[in-house]
Amino acid sequence: MPDPTAALPALKQRVQAHREDIVRLMRAICAIPSTDSQIQAVGQRVGEEMARLGFDEVRFDQMGNILGRIGPPPEQSRRVIVFDSHLDTVDIGDPAQWGWDPFEGKVEDGVLYARGACDEKGSTPGMVYGMALARDLGLLEGWTAYYFGNMEEACDGIAPRAFVEHDPKVRPDVVVIGEPTRMQVYRGHKGRVELAVTAKGRSAHAASNWLGDNAIYKLLPIIAGIRDLDSRLRTHDFLGKGTITVSDMRVSTPSLNAVPDEATIYIDRRLTFGETVESALAEVQAIIKDHAGVHRDDFMLRVLTYDAPSYTGFRLIQDKYFPPWALPEDHPLVQAALRTTELAFGRRTATGRWDFSTNGTYWVGHAGIPAIGFGPGDEVHAHTAQEQVRLDDVVAATYFYALLPALIQ
């Protein structure tokens, strides 16, 4: 394999020669709405770019994610690397908060403001062009590389699960997650589990409310107990503190003039190391036991399940449990990524972690496949009406994606 240091001047020259192409692709994919996991149109646009760059295979998988491969089929390769970038986004929310078309976006002072600019379309152009330029400069020797443009917002890790277990049934050796990292190397984040507590009551006319049993009122001490639990949760030096929040509530009632006979609260529980789905369930069950008294049987606690089909009709059913994960600082992949930043940018960046969740919950948390994160943008802008990314960083990320495979031992 060519010395990546020797290849760096040619790589930088070629990236700059493609700067307008990279920016054009970035603007184009942000302009294509891809909310609610509807990524077919944006996937087609990325697929067209990969085909133009001479990828060896470009296709959609069964789930509807877009795949681009450079190198031999994986069964003929020594090692497989996946560049993971989710192409779906959350909705825009209140359009009045934007002040400009959230998909067409705007550029001010070199910053693109658009839905998906940060979370996470910003990594796609660099990945696609980085893979092509790495091939051209011999930096992918011994590798099969995949670009994996997928659906993540609705359920973390479900698309990687489809990649490994269903189509194309490839277990990569390493993964690069393109979620925003401020151009640093990220190596983990907390996990989470989504829970629900349902309380059963008895309906009655609101004018005779004493004849009923209000399901909302039954949940009030449970909500207070969950609120008070948050401050007592454990902390990890790297991942930080676990959290618990009541995030939604649904009520079943015959009418607005009736006592509700059922109410459900939904709970977002972020898990640090040392916490599990079993321990999270036990904590909430203890709150129910302490506060429900003789009405304990009127409550049901459960882990939520994701079972929605993708836009192709492909369906994977799984519990909404996403384990915490982290690679140690001295892990060979982390060290290779740090050497890559030093070569690409002239300085070794820090390592860090995300506050939100990513597909790493499957790659590392479930499957045990080493993964690091690197991408332009800052997660504080994700899901906001000020979502943004520096276009210089979108272009510069190409260096990292192109160089990394050659630096992995």
Side-chain angles (χ1 to χ4, degrees):
M1 179 179 290
D3 178 3
T5 303
L8 184 61
L11 174 63
K12 292 202 169 186
Q13 182 180 31
R14 294 189 188 201
V15 169
Q16 290 309 310
H18 283 290
R19 179 184 175 87
E20 293 307 313
D21 297 321
I22 293 169
V23 172
R24 187 180 303 112
L25 177 60
M26 180 67 198
R27 297 295 303 271
I29 61 178
C30 285
I32 301 171
S34 53
T35 60
D36 299 321
S37 301
Q38 299 298 310
I39 69 167
Q40 182 174 20
V42 70
Q44 287 174 337
R45 177 63 182 85
V46 177
E48 290 167 3
E49 199 82 5
M50 292 190 291
R52 189 176 69 79
L53 291 169
F55 277 52
D56 294 302
E57 179 186 28
V58 177
R59 69 175 178 88
F60 285 96
D61 66 10
Q62 287 178 298
M63 186 180 183
N65 307 300
I66 185 70
L67 306 177
R69 173 173 58 83
I70 289 178
E75 63 272 13
Q76 300 174 18
S77 179
R78 288 194 294 111
R79 294 189 291 180
V80 175
I81 185 170
V82 168
F83 293 92
D84 171 340
S85 180
H86 74 80
L87 290 171
D88 58 338
T89 73
V90 296
D91 208 344
I92 63 170
D94 181 3
Q97 292 188 9
W98 287 81
W100 57 88
D101 185 313
F103 299 108
E104 186 67 25
K106 68 172 183 176
V107 177
E108 289 185 355
D109 299 324
V111 177
L112 171 63
Y113 296 83
R115 175 56 84 225
C118 169
D119 187 17
E120 175 212 344
K121 293 177 179 179
S123 60
T124 286
M127 288 178 171
V128 168
Y129 274 85
M131 289 171 61
L133 294 177
R135 173 203 59 202
D136 296 344
L137 294 171
L139 298 171
L140 279 180
E141 185 179 324
W143 287 98
T144 289
Y146 278 94
Y147 168 78
F148 183 47
N150 60 80
M151 295 167 253
E152 185 269 348
E153 290 288 2
C155 185
D156 314 335
I158 198 167
R161 181 181 165 201
F163 186 97
V164 173
E165 301 176 19
H166 294 270
D167 178 24
K169 286 191 175 181
V170 173
R171 183 180 176 88
D173 296 281
V174 294
V175 175
V176 181
I177 300 167
E179 299 271 15
T181 68
R182 299 179 296 151
M183 302 291 279
Q184 298 179 357
V185 175
Y186 280 15
R187 56 186 179 90
H189 57 70
K190 285 179 281 192
R192 66 187 176 95
V193 59
E194 295 182 19
L195 306 174
V197 178
T198 299
K200 293 286 188 179
R202 184 176 64 257
S203 184
H205 197 290
S208 306
N209 60 4
W210 62 88
L211 298 177
D213 183 13
N214 195 311
I216 294 176
Y217 294 169
K218 283 185 170 180
L219 283 172
L220 294 179
I222 310 303
I223 294 170
I226 290 169
R227 176 199 63 201
D228 296 342
L229 171 64
D230 183 74
S231 63
R232 304 195 304 270
L233 297 175
R234 76 165 62 211
T235 296
H236 182 265
D237 289 343
F238 177 65
L239 291 187
K241 177 183 166 298
T243 64
I244 188 167
T245 300
V246 176
S247 57
D248 198 0
M249 186 174 191
R250 307 287 170 85
V251 177
S252 172
T253 183
S255 79
L256 294 181
N257 307 114
V259 173
D261 57 7
E262 182 177 294
T264 300
I265 55 171
Y266 296 89
I267 301 166
D268 181 299
R269 175 69 164 90
R270 301 285 158 154
L271 303 167
T272 195
F273 280 144
E275 298 177 323
T276 65
V277 62
E278 292 81 12
S279 67
L281 285 166
E283 290 163 347
V284 178
Q285 193 63 60
I287 292 171
I288 294 171
K289 179 181 178 181
D290 289 344
H291 295 285
V294 296
H295 300 291
R296 194 182 309 165
D297 292 341
D298 295 342
F299 291 85
M300 180 179 69
L301 168 65
R302 69 187 191 279
V303 177
L304 297 180
T305 299
Y306 185 82
D307 63 356
S310 72
Y311 72 87
T312 66
F314 180 83
R315 187 190 297 267
L316 278 178
I317 300 173
Q318 66 178 51
D319 286 344
K320 300 183 81 171
Y321 163 58
F322 311 94
W325 67 278
L327 294 187
E329 182 96 20
D330 61 358
H331 190 281
L333 179 58
V334 175
Q335 289 301 306
L338 292 173
R339 289 195 299 272
T340 302
T341 63
E342 188 172 21
L343 180 59
F345 311 124
R347 58 182 177 82
R348 181 174 288 225
T349 71
T351 65
R353 59 171 173 81
W354 290 282
D355 284 331
F356 61 29
S357 189
T358 76
N359 280 335
T361 60
Y362 178 84
W363 294 122
V364 188
H366 280 295
I369 298 168
I372 55 95
F374 183 89
D378 187 328
E379 69 177 274
V380 300
H381 299 124
H383 299 192
T384 74
Q386 292 291 318
E387 186 168 359
Q388 61 188 263
V389 70
R390 289 180 51 82
L391 290 173
D392 282 350
D393 289 346
V394 172
V395 175
T398 311
Y399 303 137
F400 180 91
Y401 301 132
L403 289 167
L404 177 64
L407 289 163
I408 298 174
Q409 301 299 319

